[in-house]
Amino acid sequence: MSENSLVTNAVGRTVPTLINNVPSVPFKGVGKHRPTGRKHSIVIPSCADYPEDGNKLVPSLKEALIKAGLKDGMTISTHHHFRNGDLIANQIFDIAAELGVKGLVWAPSASFPCHEPIIGHLESGVVHHIEGSMNGALGRYCSEGKMAGLGVLRSHGGRYQAIQDGELHIDIAVIAAPAADAFGNANGLYGETACGSLGFALADSEYADRVIVVTDNLQPFPCIPWQIQGNNVDYTVVVDKVGIPEKIVSGTTQVTRSPDRLFLAEMTARFCEEAGLIREGFSFQAGAGGTSLSIGIYFAELLKKNGLRSRFARGGSNKYLVEMLEQGLTEYILDGQTFDLEGVRSLRENPNHVVTSPFTSYNYHGKGNFASMIDVVILGATEVDLDFNANVVTHSDGYLLHGIGGWQNCLAAKCVILPLPLFRGRVPVIRDAVTTICGPGEMIDVIVTERGIAINPLRQDLLDAVKHSSLPVKSIEELKTEADRICGKPAQPILGDEIVAAVKWVDGTVIDAVRKVIT
């Protein structure tokens, strides 16, 4: 990459202005970038080109891809609602290899360990690069500079924004669905592979040139409710199985048993109570990890104790949120992703458990979204620095091993809290500067560790609210000093000059770049 394509952005990071030969905009600051132009649109279709009886069935995924015009250099998208149980994405690129197609871009809403076989297609040239989260082996492959093109990492809302704006043009979207009819109407609520919401595939269905729905549960027309509308679908394919049920349900939805993490959860809940954040009609979002789940349970106990009710909880839904809904502790679950079978059941049965999508919840290039309306959001991070900047995509060794998910989008909430252990495996979590900036420090409000709570100096209101509490409030510098005293000064990762991936902010600008790890 030439030096003249690198610039310093608003958070002081050197980032590319060309990504895979496409111009990009460096991060300008929170709320500073305004898009121009109009939303992307597909070529106007005609009903004359589709069967009058609505039957869009084709015999196989291979035939559907051929009919959709699969060729070199196309961008192919998939969704991740099946998580580590996905059986379709790998098949797409196996078929492409069989057909001799090269140079494809894979644009998943997320990847999982089950997608490791795509490394073979990256090595053979069938896949050129990935625009989506790269976890595990795929992240390591990218971090070591082995991918032909630059990876592009976006949040869930940023992915919708990029597709909507035409920044990420999808040639063929393949949407795996637990239930669908021959017309292409589809949902994730019924069948042996029911996964709940299909919201992460919404943008793909709306803006891709060609859309293929793949199901293992063909329903008579109409398949109700239609989370994916058949009017946007070109072909429907029936296969034996779209996902492995026991791997669809997230393995992270268990309350932590770790005493340290339970202490973190309890301290976070105490902070929320003493800062006056838990009140009648408040709203919250917590992740599906063990610590976050525990915090949600503490929230439920506090609501019961004080006779309060939450107006809505944003999901990822799970059995604990469902219990809160059914006990009347929250009025609504606004569900973007369903993490267990109780969540799927509730989404099917309870009208107050509502399917959402990145458009409604997270898309920054819309006329507002739900994220900024949430009172409290509980998130994780791999690192935080003295300026409260946070990292979620790389570890302190520089390896790219996580996706962004909805993390960046949630930073718009009124109070953002990161409960984190002070160190992991003798490596301090608080750094002088994070390896990769995913979220600017001005949007991170509170860091909760087992050895103290750091409140961003920008939030004087929170500092005042807990001034007379018994909580162990410290400066972030004090926490870092303590971590370094225990663990020693952390080593810096050995990184080269070569950029292997770009991290986009919620508005499509480039907030940081991931550099090659020198092994």
Side-chain angles (χ1 to χ4, degrees):
M1 181 172 294
S2 63
E3 289 298 320
N4 61 9
S5 67
L6 299 175
V7 299
T8 301
N9 66 14
V11 286
R13 296 297 174 113
T14 303
V15 299
T17 57
L18 280 176
I19 299 174
N20 298 313
N21 296 317
V22 177
S24 63
V25 179
F27 177 68
K28 300 176 181 179
V30 176
K32 298 293 176 63
H33 177 63
R34 295 293 185 279
T36 58
R38 294 183 175 273
K39 291 182 180 182
H40 174 69
S41 59
I42 63 171
V43 174
I44 299 172
S46 169
C47 283
D49 298 322
Y50 294 86
E52 290 185 0
D53 64 359
N55 187 348
K56 300 175 184 177
L57 287 172
V58 294
S60 67
L61 179 56
K62 180 178 178 180
E63 184 165 334
L65 288 166
I66 292 170
K67 283 181 173 290
L70 180 66
K71 64 181 181 182
D72 292 356
M74 279 187 162
T75 296
I76 312 299
S77 75
T78 60
H79 69 81
H80 76 280
H81 290 287
F82 295 106
R83 291 179 281 279
N84 203 35
D86 174 39
L87 292 175
I88 299 303
N90 293 343
Q91 290 185 43
I92 297 167
F93 299 105
D94 290 345
I95 292 167
E98 182 186 338
L99 295 173
V101 176
K102 297 281 188 179
L104 299 174
V105 179
W106 182 34
S109 56
S111 66
F112 281 80
C114 65
H115 298 120
E116 185 173 348
I118 288 175
I119 288 175
H121 296 305
L122 286 161
E123 290 176 337
S124 70
V126 172
V127 179
H128 183 263
H129 69 275
I130 299 171
E131 298 210 11
S133 80
M134 286 167 281
N135 302 330
L138 286 168
R140 184 166 288 270
Y141 185 88
C142 176
S143 293
E144 293 176 352
K146 297 176 180 177
M147 201 157 66
L150 260 62
V152 183
L153 299 163
R154 299 180 176 91
S155 65
H156 289 327
R159 183 177 185 272
Y160 193 102
Q161 164 267 314
I163 296 170
Q164 165 197 279
D165 294 359
E167 174 192 323
L168 175 59
H169 174 82
I170 296 173
D171 295 290
I172 303 174
V174 181
I175 301 173
D181 59 35
F183 187 60
N185 297 312
N187 68 53
L189 300 178
Y190 300 97
E192 292 184 0
T193 54
C195 60
S197 170
L198 293 180
F200 292 132
L202 180 64
D204 312 56
S205 72
E206 293 174 329
Y207 295 104
D209 288 347
R210 290 286 181 266
V211 178
I212 300 168
V213 164
V214 182
T215 188
D216 54 11
N217 179 25
L218 188 66
Q219 298 288 303
F221 178 90
C223 180
I224 301 291
W226 41 59
Q227 296 173 338
I228 301 299
Q229 294 193 356
N231 305 69
N232 292 322
V233 175
D234 294 275
Y235 309 106
T236 303
V237 179
V238 179
V239 297
D240 291 337
K241 187 175 283 190
V242 293
I244 301 170
E246 56 269 26
K247 294 184 179 181
I248 288 172
V249 177
S250 172
T252 63
T253 53
Q254 299 294 322
V255 172
T256 182
R257 294 182 179 180
S258 161
D260 290 342
R261 292 187 178 187
L262 283 170
F263 182 69
L264 269 182
E266 182 181 7
M267 192 179 293
T268 303
R270 274 185 60 203
F271 174 85
C272 291
E273 182 179 31
E274 297 196 30
L277 301 175
I278 298 177
R279 59 187 184 276
E280 180 65 27
F282 92 116
S283 56
F284 71 94
Q285 179 168 353
T291 304
S292 297
L293 286 177
S294 300
I295 292 166
I297 291 171
Y298 280 120
F299 279 180
E301 292 174 354
L302 289 170
L303 289 169
K304 284 180 187 176
K305 181 182 77 173
N306 296 305
L308 301 174
R309 183 168 60 168
S310 160
R311 176 61 175 170
F312 69 89
R314 271 281 299 136
S317 70
N318 51 61
K319 64 180 179 180
Y320 304 104
L321 275 188
V322 169
E323 285 173 6
M324 288 185 69
L325 180 67
E326 293 177 347
Q327 292 171 10
L329 298 176
T330 188
E331 294 183 64
Y332 294 93
I333 298 174
L334 304 182
D335 194 345
Q337 185 172 188
T338 318
F339 284 114
D340 62 22
L341 294 179
E342 275 297 281
V344 175
R345 177 195 63 77
S346 176
L347 199 55
R348 260 195 317 262
E349 298 174 358
N350 195 324
N352 283 23
H353 190 161
V354 183
V355 170
T356 67
S357 73
F359 173 73
T360 52
S361 301
Y362 292 151
N363 177 29
Y364 196 73
H365 288 172
K367 298 181 180 180
N369 66 44
F370 297 166
S372 60
M373 299 162 65
I374 300 170
D375 292 306
V376 182
V377 66
I378 311 294
L379 302 170
T382 58
E383 302 174 318
V384 180
D385 66 25
L386 294 176
D387 293 318
F388 282 80
N389 299 310
N391 177 15
V392 292
V393 296
T394 55
H395 285 241
S396 297
D397 60 5
Y399 274 98
L400 181 64
L401 293 176
H402 298 283
I404 297 172
W407 187 91
Q408 285 181 332
N409 310 108
C410 291
L411 299 184
K414 296 170 187 175
C415 185
V416 175
I417 303 174
L418 308 185
L420 304 170
L422 196 59
F423 44 86
R424 296 186 180 100
R426 307 292 292 179
V427 177
V429 167
I430 301 175
R431 320 280 288 188
D432 289 318
V434 291
T435 307
T436 309
I437 294 182
C438 298
E442 66 195 88
M443 303 190 77
I444 313 293
D445 299 305
V446 184
I447 310 297
V448 179
T449 77
E450 71 278 14
R451 294 174 182 265
I453 298 172
I455 300 174
N456 193 321
L458 295 174
R459 292 301 304 266
Q460 188 61 47
D461 59 326
L462 294 176
L463 287 163
D464 291 342
V466 297
K467 188 183 336 184
H468 302 297
S469 79
S470 60
L471 292 167
V473 176
K474 301 178 181 179
S475 70
I476 197 165
E477 290 82 4
E478 288 175 310
L479 290 178
K480 182 179 185 303
T481 298
E482 188 163 355
D484 290 349
R485 177 181 59 79
I486 296 168
C487 301
K489 193 76 172 176
Q492 295 301 310
I494 303 173
L495 305 176
D497 293 330
E498 180 185 346
I499 292 174
V500 297
V503 180
K504 292 293 189 86
W505 179 238
V506 299
D507 59 4
T509 59
V510 184
I511 193 166
D512 209 346
V514 179
R515 283 169 169 77
K516 181 179 176 178
V517 175
I518 306 300
T519 56

